[in-house]
Amino acid sequence: MNNTITSSSGQVANVTVRRSECSDAEAIENLLSPEALELFGPINVLQLLEKANLAVTLASEEGDVMAHASFFDHPVTSLVDPPHWESFFCKHLKADALTPWNTLFLHLFVSQTAFSAASFQHIMSAVFNTTAELDFVCLLSSTSVCLDAALDELLEPLQRLTEEEKEEEEEEDEKDKAAAELMAFVCHRRRLCPRLYVRPARVEDHDDVMHIVAQQTKILSVLQRPYFLSELIEAQDKNNHAAVCECDGTITGFISVTAEVDVRRLQEHFDLKHFGGLCKAKQDADDTDDSESDADPHPHEAEKPPQEPQPEPQQEPLEEPESEGQQECQEEDEEVLSSTSDEISGEPNAFCIQFFFSEKNYEIRSLDLIPYIFQLFPDLDFCIITVPTMSLDFPLLQNFLRVPPRPGSLLPSDLYILHRDGLRSVNVRPALESDRDGLADLVRRVRRGRVALLRDLDLLFDNQADAAECPLQAFVADVDGALAGMLIIRDEMDMEYIRARYNIENFIYFSHHGAQEHAQLRHFVLRRCFQHFSRHLFKEALRLARKSSLYHRVYPLGSGREDGCVDHLDFVLDCAVPVRPRRQIIYPLKELGPNAPARSITEEQAPFALNLISRKLTMEPKVTVNARIVLVGASDTGLSFLEVLCFCPHLRFNNLTLISTNGFPADYGPAGIKFLSTSHAYNSREMAQLPLRSCVAEVAAKMVAINRKSKHVVVSSGAKIPYDYLVLCTGLQYQVPCPTQVDQEQPETNEPRKEASFPPRYTGTVPSNFFTLNDPHDCNTARDWLLENFVRKKDNAVVYGNGLDVFTTVEMLLRIGVRGSCIHLVLTPPLRAVANDSPPASHGTNDHPPQSNATDDLPLDDTNDSPRETTVTNDSPPESDVTNDPPPESDVTNYSPRQSDVTSDSPRESDVTDDSPRTTTVTNDSPSESDVTNDPPLESDVTHDSPQESDVINDSPRESDITSDSPRENDVTNESPRESDNDSLRESDITNDPPPETDATTDPLAEIDITDDLPFESDVTNDSPPESDVTNDPPPEIDVTSDSPPEIDDSNDSPREIDDTTESLPESDVTNESPPGSDVTQSSPPVSDVADDSAHRIDVAGSPALENGPSSDPLPDSGVANDPPPEPRVASDSLPKMILSNELPPEPRGLYFSDAGVESAVMAAMTKAQVHIHHDCLLMQMNNGEHPDPLTSVSFSTGSEALHLPCGVFINLSSRGVDYDAFGSINSSFLVFDGRLVIDGAFRTNDAAIWGAGPLTKFSRSYYSDEWSHANFNSKEVGQELATMLLRHFDPTLEAHCEMPSAADRLVPIYKRPKIKGAKLPGRLNYLCVTKPVASRPRGPSVACGRRIATGRPESGDYFCLHLDRNQVVETITCLSLKPLPVHNLMCLYGKHQQLLGQLLVRLQLRQIHDLYSFFRQSWCLAIFHDRFSDFEEELLQGDAEVDCEELQGAAPRDLMKNPSSRAPLRINAAKYLSFNRNLLPMFTCPDDL
């Protein structure tokens, strides 16, 4: 609310009235005057702000606090006992009109002296305007205190009762004598903000109303018909009425109502069984047994407004709220009713609001219209209004109850209902034993928790504690003697656990709340017609129970925990804020001993979602969002998106829907985790701590069609799910492979297979013993089948695929009892080996074309041989040159090229990679759109952009084809997103010999650690394997005058996807990185030289170039070589070098893991378990081409002769790509699909209502950034950013959404969080890989720099490898251990400077670290693992005034302890951090302990 105020001297100031924040405390304290302290008593400002029901601040344009007022729902505690202030006022004051519903108490007012009077009046006006039910503001003070002039102007003294008016039998006690010394003052609403005057509308009101209409609506029926409202007003009769409201003679609002309601249509679209179908009960039906017509114990009378009281003796059709408890909470609201034949028929019992307009400043006060319109229809009980789902929330709906639509309803409107009983006053009081029968009747049809509620009532009335030995308190909502609701609370006994596990301090200052002020909500029941009294019920319960915070736990279904009776959960969620769970430190409890946190914190409890209701939240209504947001796919990206929306504290999303094949990921036990790798984004415990099931409707089905015109999604069950915003996050799935069906009579190898087109979609019968694993549900199904039908047999188990998941599946088979000799691991050939021979780009055949002519980062495969239809999109965005059909890999060249694809004498920059010198493929012909197939691409094809040697040669070479003696300087120092691969510090990018000009170094290890970086775990993303390494030639010899192709570390999106990329590394690529003489084409990669005879080996390899930064002098080519120089190592002879005694040579990259040591350890473990491993195989036939069910034999084509295997079970983990049904839905709805769903930088497709995110998508070609896609980044972070973008359309606290400028819109967003994958590998090895996001195909040569630190050996199961970038920041973590890994702790190491990690490099230099696992289990590390440590780091950087912005953005942060001016503040902040988090970090000694 913006306005101006005038001081006593005439000075004018522009001010803003807002809710107070804790950051205002210091400014408020500065405004405290002796007079204010004398009037209000001793003041603790933070305590006041924390517990006030309403705190208001008046701020200037510059943001300075000019005035402040705090309001409570009770007088000052030192004067009157809060629960009994009503009886006090009734006993001593004439205040019958004052009730807890309409009264607040002023506890503090301060302001700048000159603006005191104007400030108080402005604040009080704002409070009355924004709180519709408020009529009185009181101040209770001592009689010896005189009011300030500013207060005295608005506050009137309340008259005291005379002795005659007091009850004679009451004797005066000491409290009465103290009360006689108190004075009460009151400010009436009528002084500042009187109730609006409502009268019938007249024709002469037309112009005034149209002035409001023009500002508030875009309804064409009103704007295009100038006299529409005049006709509406003139047409008033007994069934149609129009009214206006006035303030000081000025019309501020208009409303039109009608009794002509199509009840039957409403019954078809909305679940109205709890409202009697909006029909009157038949007069001849006197049964009170009908659940839809239970009569209330008391006759119902409408609240009588001052005008024309209207009696109305009639039945209450709302007893369904009494009976509504029938279904558990939100599940009941989603109940499917197949027909409306069971709806009560009869005369309509509702009238409808047709039009409503109001001045914006009077919207809150529009509730004054409601009593008037009910008087117009005295024989009707319901007022209804339909609101478009996309309309913004407005205050008139605060008293209305939203009715959920029926499943499948396509009506783009929401229905709101208000019963006339909702106008009656509600009194909240403690429950009495006499209420026992009434409460039992209130919950008689509640199914879930009813028994527990009645049991707690018996304990309460018997003065007993519950099973947890906690005393219970119960409160009831009384409406004229009838019980309309109740709640039961008890003391919260696990506050230390809750504080440690949930971020409650985002909403409350824990230290300002006493231990006895926290309560747990056990039971809550409220009739539907009184839903808008929920906040008042909670507010009164907190006051009467002397509590400040109320917590409600929601346990997942099937958890075995007994839930309380909460009916309805939606009422609680409307008032409460969801509390985020906190990431937990994994403590080494044995090592900590007595210094460990309390057992109440470390002992696990059953997981639950937590909701919080505090005093201040009871008067802070949420903004309701009714837009129908439909998410397709329960991927990490999708779940993260929903998480952000559900955790918005001030927004309430009513229409969130998830469409997923198996619904939300469920807890299927360990099998679902061990069969597949994991991204560590969500586990079953974390899912249980999220409020997703309470806030999101779940549809367990697959999307099969999208109707963009009607805005609905068709799912596999045939249901239609309407949407206003559709978000596609389906991710990528393994598909059933299609056998090649070659003639087995001929010698078969993979060579002919390369020339043929990729197999079409498999449409045959899927055998019963054929399993494709994509999610925990599939894994659980396969595990159950294996245990029942396979484990005891000696048949073969064939695992087919190429990625990390195949190894985790082999380990799972071994664990459940399958013999290793019965397991055949069939690895598909590296992807680039499948596309060597290609026809010319101009050929429109189905032959296999070069992959590089697909989208630059999205090559496709598995296409159909059949002719394809032409699909033309008329509404595509800037990438309109791309058709909707996905190009198969065999038809890649059929795509219309981009501008950069057109034949030209200059190379396209986006095609420039630094992988290897190679010929360039440019299509000279622009094929027609009809050449594009309709089959979706597979994940394994997504980033194969590098052309093959057989491709057509361009007229001019690319940058990567030009040898150079030195890399460009900007390749070393540039921090731009597109060259962020330079920051990934790939050790493989630097030879063993450092340049001579970089000997000087400031690093502690410079003089002893000058070796080259060793390869580390790959940043390879699963869906975008780099294609830039593709070449059929043997690796070139490396010398000092030629560039060697640096290995591209593609970022990994999810654990399941990474190895689809790594599998595509051809043998020639691996040998490029191997030391001379290594053989990487064998079945098991060679065991690398990463260990010596010692049990624990520390390997520190680094490039000295990073210490001095980029040099202006050109570096030798050995600095950019991907491979270690072949013998005779020319560069080694020319460069000086000092080597650690345990220094190791660079380790080669494996075929399936980025770390060859890890790969060799896994292969060795499988060999030891007698697992058969077959390389370079493609599925050729099932059951020799006969009926495949059941599957008994499989045949594969290999590099030599065909492989034939008997088969008892076939587990498929191949052909990962876009789900066929998802692709069909996307393609048939004319969304642009170019290998992936095409989106812009703001997640939008060519349809503004359809958004996409995750590996399913790619950026439009107009960005010229094909090396970047969502697959390169952390999926959880992408989902959070997606939600942030969508919130701009709904969150009033954010800036209004506007279209990005065209220049900014062409920039691809880059995200910072690491990509994480974990797995259980053969040999019972626990694997974790954390890497930074990098481009799929970086441009230009890059110089790797940094350090590699490793301890242990992969073979011994104690391997730990860290990689530091040139700023000495951890950017890669690889762990392989026989012991369980503290994953959450280890992930915290990413992005931390080595100085924060206990001066890591200094300790290495001093030989103090022998095992990184033990090193990071030390107690000092626990502060770094704390979830608030990152906030602490930001505070340090913000508080260091001497740090330049350039320094923060550039190299490593300086050591603040070396600067005397920053040393003291750093110590103080560190002490504060440890003190504030003392409950989780008790192992540190705080200054208070000294």
Side-chain angles (χ1 to χ4, degrees), residues 508-822:
I508 64 173
Y509 272 85
F510 186 79
S511 59
H512 290 276
H513 297 259
Q516 302 301 319
E517 291 186 296
H518 302 278
Q520 180 185 146
L521 178 64
R522 282 287 297 153
H523 309 283
F524 173 84
V525 178
L526 185 64
R527 292 189 177 183
R528 291 178 182 266
C529 58
F530 298 103
Q531 172 263 347
H532 56 285
F533 284 104
S534 298
R535 290 184 182 276
H536 179 63
L537 180 55
F538 289 124
K539 178 168 69 75
E540 281 297 280
L542 290 174
R543 177 180 69 88
L544 295 173
R546 306 175 192 272
K547 305 296 183 183
S548 60
S549 302
L550 188 60
Y551 303 90
H552 176 241
R553 305 182 182 190
V554 180
Y555 291 95
L557 296 176
S559 64
R561 292 297 300 254
E562 180 184 25
D563 288 340
C565 177
V566 178
D567 195 37
H568 298 275
L569 181 59
D570 286 342
F571 296 175
V572 178
L573 298 180
D574 287 340
C575 305
V577 292
V579 186
R580 282 186 178 273
R582 298 177 62 178
R583 177 174 48 79
Q584 295 300 298
I585 301 173
I586 302 175
Y587 294 96
L589 297 178
K590 292 183 180 180
E591 290 88 336
L592 291 175
N595 293 325
R599 292 185 60 186
S600 60
I601 293 176
T602 57
E603 286 185 350
E604 294 288 352
Q605 296 185 12
F608 55 85
L610 184 68
N611 298 293
L612 166 66
I613 301 174
S614 64
R615 296 180 59 85
K616 67 175 67 173
L617 293 175
T618 57
M619 296 193 67
E620 190 172 340
K622 294 184 179 182
V623 176
T624 300
V625 179
N626 289 327
R628 299 169 297 183
I629 301 174
V630 176
L631 170 70
V632 181
S635 60
D636 289 347
T637 305
L639 294 177
S640 176
F641 166 76
L642 291 177
E643 178 186 355
V644 173
L645 297 187
C646 292
F647 275 116
C648 286
H650 55 284
L651 299 181
R652 179 77 167 99
F653 288 88
N654 285 325
N655 276 324
L656 295 178
T657 303
L658 169 68
I659 300 176
S660 178
T661 304
N662 299 306
F664 282 109
D667 184 6
Y668 292 104
I673 299 175
K674 294 178 182 177
F675 262 113
L676 299 174
S677 57
T678 175
S679 64
H680 290 294
Y682 297 97
N683 55 37
S684 58
R685 183 176 185 85
E686 291 168 345
M687 286 295 298
Q689 293 176 322
L690 302 180
L692 299 184
R693 296 184 185 274
S694 302
C695 304
V696 182
E698 184 179 0
V699 178
K702 291 184 66 175
M703 175 183 70
V704 296
I706 302 174
N707 190 318
R708 290 170 54 187
K709 183 177 181 180
S710 300
K711 282 195 171 184
H712 69 259
V713 172
V714 181
V715 296
S716 54
S717 63
K720 298 179 180 179
I721 313 298
Y723 69 85
D724 295 309
Y725 284 96
L726 178 63
V727 182
L728 302 178
C729 298
T730 59
L732 304 175
Q733 292 78 35
Y734 293 117
Q735 313 290 337
V736 178
C738 186
T740 58
Q741 301 294 349
V742 265
D743 186 4
Q744 299 189 49
E745 299 297 330
Q746 300 179 0
E748 176 62 27
T749 67
N750 281 332
E751 294 303 321
R753 177 68 185 85
K754 299 170 189 175
E755 299 177 358
S757 61
F758 270 57
R761 173 183 179 183
Y762 180 76
T763 57
T765 302
V766 178
S768 59
N769 56 342
F770 186 106
F771 297 95
T772 299
L773 307 182
N774 280 305
D775 55 32
H777 180 271
D778 297 336
C779 296
N780 192 63
T781 302
R783 178 179 178 273
D784 293 343
W785 189 92
L786 289 168
L787 292 175
E788 183 178 353
N789 303 293
F790 184 79
V791 172
R792 297 180 180 87
K793 299 180 181 180
K794 297 183 179 180
D795 294 339
N796 285 342
V798 178
V799 181
Y800 179 67
N802 193 338
L804 183 60
D805 288 334
V806 300
F807 300 103
T808 59
T809 299
V810 169
E811 168 63 10
M812 186 59 191
L813 292 176
L814 293 172
R815 290 200 180 196
I816 64 176
V818 180
R819 299 178 184 178
S821 59
C822 296

